[in-house]
Amino acid sequence: MATGKKMSVQDRRKFLLIQQERYLWASRSAKSAMLDAMEADTHLHRKHLIRLMNSDDIRPRKRNRERSRTYGPEVEHVVRLVADALDWPGAERVQPVLADMAQHLARFGHLALTEP
């Protein structure tokens, strides 16, 4: 199964679920050989594979609750307007110039800023 292609996350989890049953009942030397093969097939680190094989459930856990919004719709509108004015360069490039660009847009009447 060791090919040049990478497995998708779902395929990797299915593969590891199948291997886990064999791994738990294998001898120490067989576990080592299995880990070598799984490391080559999945491209995961050995220690991560050991942790997964010894865990109760390989499947990823769901979040208990979704993240809530940090800012309201007013701030979202300003961010969208500034990002649009800058031709959507990405969050890392918009964030440092957000305040200056918002003041610049407000100065020319494209945006109405409030104190908060």
Side-chain angles (χ1 to χ4, degrees):
M1 192 160 173
T3 62
K5 292 181 175 180
K6 279 194 161 190
M7 289 183 182
S8 69
V9 175
Q10 292 85 8
D11 290 342
R12 189 182 310 145
R13 293 289 178 177
K14 287 179 191 174
F15 175 72
L16 292 175
L17 277 169
I18 293 168
Q19 295 295 321
Q20 186 181 30
E21 190 174 333
R22 291 180 41 216
Y23 179 87
L24 292 174
W25 294 103
S27 66
R28 185 179 180 129
S29 59
K31 284 182 181 181
S32 178
M34 287 179 70
L35 285 170
D36 290 337
M38 286 188 287
E39 194 175 2
D41 291 341
T42 62
H43 303 287
L44 294 175
H45 292 280
R46 189 177 191 90
K47 289 293 183 177
H48 183 62
L49 285 169
I50 292 169
R51 185 186 60 79
L52 286 174
M53 290 294 111
N54 290 324
S55 68
D56 293 335
D57 193 10
I58 289 179
R59 288 173 283 164
R61 293 177 192 89
K62 299 260 186 200
R63 287 186 182 186
N64 290 336
R65 63 181 174 87
E66 289 296 318
R67 292 182 182 153
S68 61
R69 288 183 156 259
T70 306
Y71 300 106
E74 302 88 19
V75 176
E76 184 179 345
H77 173 70
V78 171
V79 171
R80 284 183 189 274
L81 195 63
V82 169
D84 191 40
L86 297 173
D87 201 23
W88 295 93
E92 293 84 13
R93 296 183 69 188
V94 169
Q95 191 269 335
V97 298
L98 184 62
D100 294 334
M101 191 65 181
Q103 290 172 355
H104 183 74
L105 289 171
R107 199 174 317 130
F108 288 97
H110 296 285
L111 181 64
L113 295 178
T114 59
E115 188 59 34

